[in-house]
Amino acid sequence: MAYNVIVLIKQIPDIDQMKTNPGTGEPLIQNVPLRMENLSKNAVEAAVRIKEKNGGKVTVLCFGTEKSTSVMKEAYAMGADEGYLITGYAGNYPSVTANALASKIKEIPHDLVILGNQSADSYTGLLPGSLSAILGEPLLGNAIDIKLQEKQVSVVSALEDNNLEIATEMPAVVSVAQEINQPRLPPVLQIMAAGRKPINQVAASNLQVPEVKTISNRAPKSDRKRIVYEDPAKGIEEVSNVIREAIR
Amino acid sequence: MKIIAFSDNKAILSQIISRFRDEAEVHAITPDPDFILKYGASKTFGLKGDVLSGPVSKAIEKMYQSGGYDLIAIGSTVTGREVAGLLSAMLSTQAVSEVNSLSFNGGKATTSRFFYGGKSLLTEESVAKIAVVAPGLAEATESSKKSDITELQLEPSSVKIVSRTDKKGGSVDIEKAQVIVSVGRGLGKKENLEKVEPFAKAVHGEIAGSRPVCLDYGWLSEDRQVGLSGKKVQPKLYIALGISGQIQHIAGMRNSKVVIAVNKDKSAPIFEEADYGIVGDLFDVIGKIKDKLAQ
Ligand SMILES: Cc1cc2nc3c(=O)[nH]c(=O)nc-3n(C[C@H](O)[C@H](O)[C@H](O)COP(=O)(O)OP(=O)(O)OC[C@H]3O[C@@H](n4cnc5c(N)ncnc54)[C@H](O)[C@@H]3O)c2cc1C
Ligand SMILES: Nc1ncnc2c1ncn2[C@@H]1O[C@H](COP(=O)(O)O)[C@@H](O)[C@H]1O
């Protein structure tokens, strides 16, 4: 049986390239390139694999800004069929994001909504639960494996102390863990074709941004000595002394 | 103040109770009431039924709506974060996640949490009524305060449990270790652990690892994972072997006193977070250090 899958993808600053202001410790996010959030990629990969195996359609949704077209194209190149960019994103407000995405999801017939379990930048992890509640669809969380059979979906959910196999009827929300798959690197030809594919853009309405005051946002202080020996022979003597001192 | 505290992880729940029991009436919800009893919550609710996020959130919703609660504190586990997300939508209230400090002032909550994958620490003031609490909020200490256990029956769920496989875990507690020898993907293969073990022994260290080593490859058990989504450790000495030093890893070892890193790539970010670094092959370097220490 073919399945209609909605995938949620987030765009984030490339945190690996992000530097912090050496004076104030504040993160410098201007000019940091934007990219697709790590687990969003796993979510796209999971959805595309379902389509490849069973047929159906993959629709991606991103709540972002006018600048988020590149992640859409990336998802297209990986195999997504259609994409909606919902504009109006103004920061990490999980309730705003959940409502903006849910109102679009409700308009699209679907069997599954697949998203990451926890964003790699904000590390919030609230979206899977919130969407499940707003949509009134059961949640199967932190999946490392997804199996579909007729109208039934089952996943292996990686919990802290055990792996739990859980199942429910579709439509359902499934959040995925990084370990579920290795997202593909699309070939150049597909990337070029993706660039020509249209992106549907809609503005989010009725955003109710909650009151949150940032008191500070700084890199934790690092007073490391940073003494690096490029010649191991030299380092071993010194480092052995440090170890001897520390374990005394 | 009146607080609902829930976690399916008894360590985090005991920390939340210890943190708040003096300033608030804490109503604890737990699948392990006998264990939780000794931490001095005002009321202890023992869950009956499958501890899945759907039914748990419904039970908490009901309790919260019975009135008078200032906060719902939830331990950060897979199930806990789901419950928080569900409740945030069900109660139309804000939630703040992964906090490692939490205080109140006139109805507002001041929270701190890591942001940008662990690169910065974000302190905010909000009207959030739900807080997802990271491990280590406070030290768990027993209390003489007594409470009874009330049974709390969970509703059946539309999600069915098919099977449960326990993960092999040891009895190590790397959070308490004084010396940690931590290995990354640079280890190459599981068999190479045999080459690291004698070194760890020589420095009286516990072996820990990065996420790929503990999760993807399973070379080490998951309870040895250090990082944002693993354990936060603070040993006197942290020796990182073949770990590149991605921010999500740093977030777990940042509070170590002295950090030594060995990596064959001189531009590996771990050297930015190390006191002493040696550029070289980890097996070669630890062999030589071991010899030196034996002298
Ligand atoms: C949401 C999220 C949460 C995460 N949480 C965590 C977490 O809690 N903990 C965590 O660790 N990661 C976490 N990660 C993953 C993290 O981003 C990195 O992928 C991971 O830390 C990399 O592990 P590594 O350093 O072992 O591997 P790599 O990055 O592959 O580094 C291996 C290093 O070994 C060196 N090397 C290779 N061979 C040798 C040799 N013979 N001698 C010396 N050096 C050698 C290489 O130069 C390289 O620098 C998380 C990621 C996400 C998205
Ligand atoms: N702005 C967004 N637009 C689309 N999907 C998102 C957005 N934010 C988060 N997600 C999805 O939700 C997952 C979990 O995010 P979070 O709950 O914010 O940690 C991510 O891995 C994405 O799949």
Side-chain angles (χ1 to χ4, degrees), chain A residues 8-11 37 39-40 43 61-64 89 92 97 101 114-119 122-128:
Chain A
L8 307 182
I9 58 171
K10 181 181 186 182
Q11 186 181 47
E37 183 269 325
L39 272 78
S40 300
L61 302 187
C62 173
F63 177 43
Y89 184 83
N92 181 235
T97 304
L101 290 166
I114 304 184
L115 74 169
N117 171 63
Q118 232 177 346
S119 310
S122 60
Y123 217 55
T124 328
L126 295 170
L127 220 47

Side-chain angles (χ1 to χ4, degrees), chain A residues 187-216:
Chain A
V188 179
L189 226 60
Q190 252 161 278
I191 296 174
M192 280 163 46
R196 294 188 292 269
K197 226 180 156 99
I199 296 167
N200 306 298
Q201 202 163 312
V202 282
S205 55
N206 286 326
L207 298 181
Q208 314 222 324
V209 178
E211 218 181 294
V212 181
K213 192 167 102 195
T214 298
I215 295 172
S216 66

Side-chain angles (χ1 to χ4, degrees), chain B residues 200-220:
Chain B
K201 206 158 171 203
V203 300
H204 313 296
E206 285 289 355
I207 295 187
S210 67
R211 174 157 156 155
V213 166
C214 300
L215 273 181
D216 304 12
Y217 305 140
W219 295 341
L220 291 173

Side-chain angles (χ1 to χ4, degrees), chain A residues 128-150:
Chain A
S130 289
L131 282 173
S132 162
I134 300 171
L135 299 170
E137 295 175 13
L139 167 63
L140 304 181
N142 212 37
I144 52 172
D145 189 27
I146 306 177
K147 281 197 197 82
L148 305 178
Q149 201 179 31
E150 297 297 309

Side-chain angles (χ1 to χ4, degrees), chain A residues 9-74:
Chain A
I9 58 171
K10 181 181 186 182
Q11 186 181 47
I12 64 169
D14 191 343
I15 41 186
D16 298 319
Q17 293 191 39
M18 206 181 76
K19 298 264 180 299
T20 49
N21 181 322
T24 64
E26 283 172 9
L28 301 168
I29 48 166
Q30 299 85 350
N31 306 325
V32 177
L34 298 169
R35 64 165 171 87
M36 200 192 295
E37 183 269 325
N38 311 37
L39 272 78
S40 300
K41 271 192 201 167
N42 297 98
V44 175
E45 180 66 34
V48 171
R49 287 190 194 181
I50 289 173
K51 181 181 77 168
E52 287 169 347
K53 190 161 171 220
N54 307 283
K57 184 175 169 185
V58 175
T59 307
V60 285
L61 302 187
C62 173
F63 177 43
T65 66
E66 283 74 13
K67 288 190 192 138
S68 311
T69 49
S70 59
V71 287
M72 278 287 166
K73 288 180 181 162
E74 206 176 328

